[in-house]
Amino acid sequence: MNDASFGSDRIKKGPAGASTRALLYGMGYVREEIDRPLIGIVNSQNEIVPGHLLLDRVAEAAKKGVLLAGGTPVEFPAIGICDGVAMGHEGMKYPLASRELICDSIEAMTVAHRFDGLVLIPNCDKIVPGMLMAAARLNIPAVLVSGGPMRAGFMGGRTLDFNSIMEQIGIYRNGGCTEEELERVAEEACPGCGSCSGLFTANSMNCLTEALGMGLPWNGTALCDSGERIRLAKAAGLRVMEMLRRNIRPRDILTREAFENAITVDMAMAGSTNTVLHLPAIAHEAGFALKLSLFDKLSERTPYIAKLSPSGVHHMEDLHRAGGIPAIIHELSKKGLIHKSCMTVTGATVGENTANTPVADSSVIRSADDPYRNRGGLAILRGNLAPDGAVVKESAVAEEMLRHSGPAVVFDSEEEASAAIWDRKIKKGDVIVIRYEGPRGGPGMREMLSPTSSIAGMGLDKDVALLTDGRFSGASRGASIGHISPEAMNGGPIGLLRDGDVIHIDIPARSLSVSLSDEELARRKAAFTLPEPKVKTGYLARYARLVDSANTGAVLR
């Protein structure tokens, strides 16, 4: 929708628009409302995702902002899957694949009804990138305002989050607590609505929406239950109308430099490894490719200055009090690491938005001159086991596991690996390999927080590594290396591994390899045959036929 014909006037003005006006009259719209710009309010509210339960409040506030600025808000829904509920079973095949459903459905609704602009209201995991992909594809004025993070839980003198309960399950299975103690952690880990309180995928993507310029300042950190969140939503409604007047569109904002800003912020705070899937997918819709090499290049120069859960002890409320993403950008700008001239939905540049946002708490956001590390929190690994790359959250890896060699213990599904972990069949030093869980092989590239949290809960995260062509939750910690490309279902080397093959991990050197000669790998490849697809009907079967590799963002071709 890059031509001048976009917008609602085409379907509602003049004699030819009488039929549309008739339908709008039937819903109770008056002529004054019909004559104004129609702004789609895309609301993913539902009653199964904690981050989405209160989105109706955000949507109502966004509508008020649109009305204040002279537009007519028109709400329609988007789906949203809770990764935490889908975790650990067949349902986890759907969240990543739902990203494309969300994008496509917004396109269908917007083009069919010729909306003049959009306010996009997500809060979790795949919903945020799915909506940003739609904004880039449609290229009409759009602002994203999320529902905001939940507060951290608190029990027994320590803060809790969703990862706490996942790891507590591992502790329970290892005999370290009673079922009653496990239930008490479950009751306290998620104390209210909002996206889970650590820097997991949902909050990572909401923060990076700010860094890209598609969300207002503090979109990623203002708490779900705060008045500030409601004010942000009203401001989003006001801003989309101003963007319409000034003809500012997503592709004016989503430039290559904007993505470099987002990746830099990502590295400075060690966001979820899933950002390495989602940013390339959004860029793809904006018309260009983001290669994994760019992530590593920017990581090499970016200081790691904010250490949040699961890498550290701080949570989103702490980051917000410390100045949020504007303060991180302000600090990075001192080192010349931010493209300050990039346009944002505010109508001002990144530099203008963050010029007066110094760090308010240096215990949460460190000075760029005194970082936790001199390079970013995510790492891209390559080698004969991952010719096209793999991803690890380096900041969440124990020092002892940054370099590790050990025998492969190979599984063809998450369920097989989890059963072996729970049955205590994994020994210190092992490298667990979980394959056929990639975008095509899964299909859907399941997040595997259950195996990683079980390993951590059993006290093995400093002794055991996990490798997969699938992916790990943003809540995962330990030597959890995902996105191995090519995936097994595409004939990648991970599909050729056997139990006992010695795997070498060297995260500082960005290397992931197996002690097999090129000749041996070639012999195994010649004898290799692909297994039958795990899913043969329905949406996932179509998805598996169309989806590209993880190193491209798992986009559909």
Side-chain angles (χ1 to χ4, degrees), residues 212-214 246 248 252-254 258 340-350:
L212 283 169
M214 286 297 295
R246 294 176 57 181
I248 298 174
D252 300 323
I253 295 167
L254 294 171
K340 294 195 290 185
S341 63
C342 289
M343 176 59 69
T344 75
V345 294
T346 68
T349 66
V350 169

Side-chain angles (χ1 to χ4, degrees), residues 204-528:
S204 294
M205 287 307 304
N206 281 322
C207 288
L208 296 189
T209 298
E210 272 189 65
L212 283 169
M214 286 297 295
L216 295 167
W218 296 284
N219 172 72
T221 57
L223 290 171
C224 175
D225 58 0
S226 67
E228 185 176 6
R229 177 58 54 183
I230 300 305
R231 295 196 301 273
L232 273 173
K234 289 177 183 176
L238 291 166
R239 290 312 316 168
V240 75
M241 291 299 295
E242 182 63 20
M243 291 175 72
L244 182 60
R245 281 189 279 271
R246 294 176 57 181
N247 195 28
I248 298 174
R249 305 195 195 188
R251 293 191 191 181
D252 300 323
I253 295 167
L254 294 171
T255 62
R256 187 173 295 276
E257 290 75 19
F259 281 94
E260 290 187 4
N261 284 345
I263 295 169
T264 298
V265 170
D266 196 14
M267 296 303 167
M269 63 181 188
S272 166
T273 52
N274 286 312
T275 60
V276 184
L277 278 176
H278 298 321
L279 290 175
I282 299 163
H284 174 73
E285 295 293 348
F288 55 88
L290 285 185
K291 296 188 176 180
L292 288 185
S293 57
L294 178 61
F295 286 81
D296 221 31
K297 174 186 173 184
L298 296 178
S299 179
E300 191 64 36
R301 73 176 197 183
T302 303
Y304 175 36
I305 59 175
K307 195 172 188 178
L308 285 82
S309 177
S311 303
V313 298
H314 295 123
H315 290 81
M316 298 309 294
E317 59 204 81
D318 303 308
L319 179 59
H320 188 63
R321 285 193 295 266
I325 299 306
I328 290 179
I329 292 174
H330 182 87
E331 193 62 29
L332 295 172
S333 295
K334 295 177 182 178
K335 294 291 185 181
L337 299 175
I338 295 293
H339 300 288
K340 294 195 290 185
S341 63
C342 289
M343 176 59 69
T344 75
V345 294
T346 68
T349 66
V350 169
E352 291 166 339
N353 286 343
T354 60
N356 299 307
T357 56
V359 173
D361 185 345
S362 60
S363 70
V364 179
I365 303 173
R366 285 194 177 186
S367 164
D369 292 321
D370 181 33
Y372 291 101
R373 257 195 290 237
N374 287 319
R375 66 180 181 184
L378 303 182
I380 308 299
L381 312 184
R382 295 183 188 274
N384 68 349
L385 188 49
D388 293 337
V391 183
V392 63
K393 183 180 281 196
E394 181 177 6
S395 63
V397 179
E399 194 70 27
E400 303 93 313
M401 292 298 293
L402 290 172
R403 292 182 175 89
H404 177 78
S405 295
V409 186
V410 182
F411 303 97
D412 288 346
S413 71
E414 177 188 359
E415 288 83 358
E416 291 177 12
S418 293
I421 294 167
W422 296 334
D423 291 343
R424 296 176 174 80
K425 294 179 180 179
I426 303 301
K427 303 184 296 295
K428 289 186 177 182
D430 284 347
V431 178
I432 300 170
V433 177
I434 308 174
R435 62 191 180 190
Y436 298 109
E437 290 288 4
R440 182 182 170 205
M445 203 179 183
R446 287 192 285 183
E447 279 186 351
M448 286 177 273
L449 182 56
S450 182
T452 59
S453 58
S454 295
I455 287 292
M458 295 168 75
L460 293 172
D461 57 301
K462 296 181 180 179
D463 302 290
V464 171
L466 294 94
L467 312 182
T468 184
D469 54 6
R471 60 199 176 92
F472 295 111
S473 165
S476 295
R477 61 185 175 93
S480 304
I481 300 170
H483 306 202
I484 290 177
S485 300
E487 64 174 290
M489 203 65 178
N490 283 341
I494 189 173
L496 308 177
L497 293 180
R498 298 172 184 168
D499 287 347
D501 288 340
V502 178
I503 306 294
H504 300 288
I505 300 165
D506 191 335
I507 295 173
R510 303 300 195 248
S511 175
L512 179 63
S513 62
V514 56
S515 287
L516 295 173
S517 66
D518 292 344
E519 292 76 18
E520 175 60 18
L521 284 170
R523 277 193 293 272
R524 292 188 185 185
K525 190 172 182 65
F528 176 77

